[in-house]
Amino acid sequence: MENTENKPTNYFRENGLPTKQQLRDLNASLQAGDVRPLLRAVPGERSDPPELLRRKVEYLRGFVLPERYESLTRRLDLRTRYVAMCLEDIYYPHNASAVIRSSEAFGIQELHAVEHTVRFAPNKHIVRGTDQWLDIRKWADTPSLAAHLRGRGYRIVATAPPRAESPTDGGRRVNFTPSDFDVAAGPFAVFMGTEKSGISEWLAAEADAIVSIPMAGFAESLNISVSAAIVAQRLAERVRDPESGIAWQLSPDDRDRLLYRWLCRSVRDWRRILERGGFSA
């Protein structure tokens, strides 16, 4: 019998990981300014006026079971954009996929992926369709994403070991844990760095705060998928705490837009059904 032990090609293939050559090929395919729009959106989702979206929602509602509709709306009630998840150059598909699943599980609606050196390529067998419920956008570099988020009122929060606080921080604290970070000060975007080196130097210098996971063992770091799950769960839980006083819920128009997309994903042949109802799809 052939001995396959310690053969890296078998390991990468069996675990769905890219080889070094595949990563080099992905890197070579990147182009400056290569930013793609919202993934998994449906036609009309962003262009239709609110009243038209509501009419489409009411029409499609008749093509799903009441239990299914109730399931969709119940999850929408817990969705939030107050927290956004952001990833910098995630190399391995299983890590990208795990962060998507964690974000969806804890009700974080927005996920942004920076593709400065490598494509953001989740594994569909690990994601298991959870990406269809989220807003996922890809960006060519971190400064562009940070500028976009700050323009919308988000604070930039990096997950990393604590950084040295200095007078340039204006005497304010910049190092926090998921349990003591001030979630009530305004919306915030949580950045996770690449697997090997963590967040970029630019982000380390420009972040408004650093969130670190306290550890009591010999381990000094955690896999990105584990870190993302811990941070997302704790911060989302604190944001939704009734005593926080935070208006974390989706706006009515945003809720209708998402409900429309989710109904489209839940109804087979939804394009023809909409056309039959007099709506353009």
Side-chain angles (χ1 to χ4, degrees):
M1 182 175 64
E2 181 185 3
N3 181 13
T4 60
E5 186 178 2
N6 295 328
K7 286 191 176 181
T9 53
N10 289 336
Y11 172 81
F12 281 103
R13 183 171 61 251
E14 292 171 3
N15 290 276
L17 304 179
T19 64
K20 290 183 178 180
Q21 183 58 53
Q22 288 173 324
L23 291 177
R24 283 193 290 268
D25 292 342
L26 286 170
N27 295 346
S29 69
L30 290 172
Q31 299 178 6
D34 188 12
V35 181
R36 282 153 301 286
L38 175 71
L39 303 182
R40 304 297 292 257
V42 296
E45 177 184 335
R46 292 192 168 275
S47 58
D48 288 347
E51 179 56 35
L52 178 56
L53 277 181
R54 283 190 283 271
R55 286 169 50 208
K56 286 184 175 181
V57 165
E58 284 304 310
Y59 181 70
L60 289 174
R61 179 178 180 178
F63 294 87
V64 297
L65 292 173
E67 295 82 1
R68 177 62 171 175
Y69 185 81
E70 190 276 333
S71 174
L72 296 177
T73 56
R74 184 174 70 251
R75 285 165 174 80
L76 272 173
D77 290 340
L78 295 174
R79 274 296 197 266
T80 186
R81 293 188 190 277
Y82 191 89
V83 186
M85 186 66 72
C86 305
L87 304 174
E88 275 194 313
D89 288 325
I90 301 303
Y91 280 82
Y92 295 119
H94 67 286
N95 285 335
S97 308
V99 177
I100 288 175
R101 291 189 65 174
S102 295
S103 298
E104 199 285 322
F106 301 123
I108 297 175
Q109 183 59 34
E110 283 194 36
L111 189 146
H112 299 267
V114 173
E115 296 183 317
H116 181 61
T117 59
V118 68
R119 295 282 186 190
F120 181 72
N123 186 315
K124 66 179 181 179
H125 300 295
I126 300 176
V127 172
R128 298 179 67 85
T130 52
D131 57 328
Q132 69 184 310
W133 311 116
L134 302 181
D135 288 347
I136 301 177
R137 292 179 176 84
K138 298 180 179 183
W139 300 79
D141 58 79
T142 302
S144 297
L145 171 55
H148 166 80
L149 291 168
R150 281 192 166 125
R152 294 170 56 198
Y154 282 84
R155 294 173 287 161
I156 305 302
V157 179
T159 55
R163 78 182 186 198
E165 297 179 349
S166 68
T168 59
D169 295 319
R172 65 191 178 93
R173 182 182 173 193
V174 295
N175 297 316
F176 301 90
T177 71
S179 295
D180 63 20
F181 173 70
D182 187 2
V183 295
F188 56 93
V190 179
F191 279 75
M192 312 291 296
T194 190
E195 287 93 338
K196 182 177 180 180
S197 55
I199 61 172
S200 63
E201 292 183 5
W202 185 91
L203 183 58
E206 295 293 328
D208 299 309
I210 299 291
V211 167
S212 305
I213 300 173
M215 287 176 277
F218 290 104
E220 296 181 352
S221 64
L222 296 171
N223 178 276
I224 181 176
S225 60
V226 176
S227 298
I230 293 172
V231 172
Q233 189 279 332
R234 183 61 181 135
L235 292 177
E237 178 184 51
R238 293 182 59 218
V239 163
R240 292 194 190 90
D241 186 337
E243 296 184 2
S244 71
I246 297 172
W248 54 267
Q249 295 90 344
L250 300 174
S251 69
D253 287 348
D254 192 14
R255 191 178 185 281
D256 287 341
R257 182 182 66 78
L258 285 175
L259 181 55
Y260 168 60
R261 186 204 306 170
W262 291 9
L263 282 170
C264 288
R265 297 300 180 197
S266 302
V267 175
R268 181 177 297 180
D269 210 11
W270 58 272
R271 293 176 186 272
R272 290 189 181 181
I273 287 175
L274 282 174
E275 290 172 354
R276 230 174 23 237
F279 300 99
S280 60

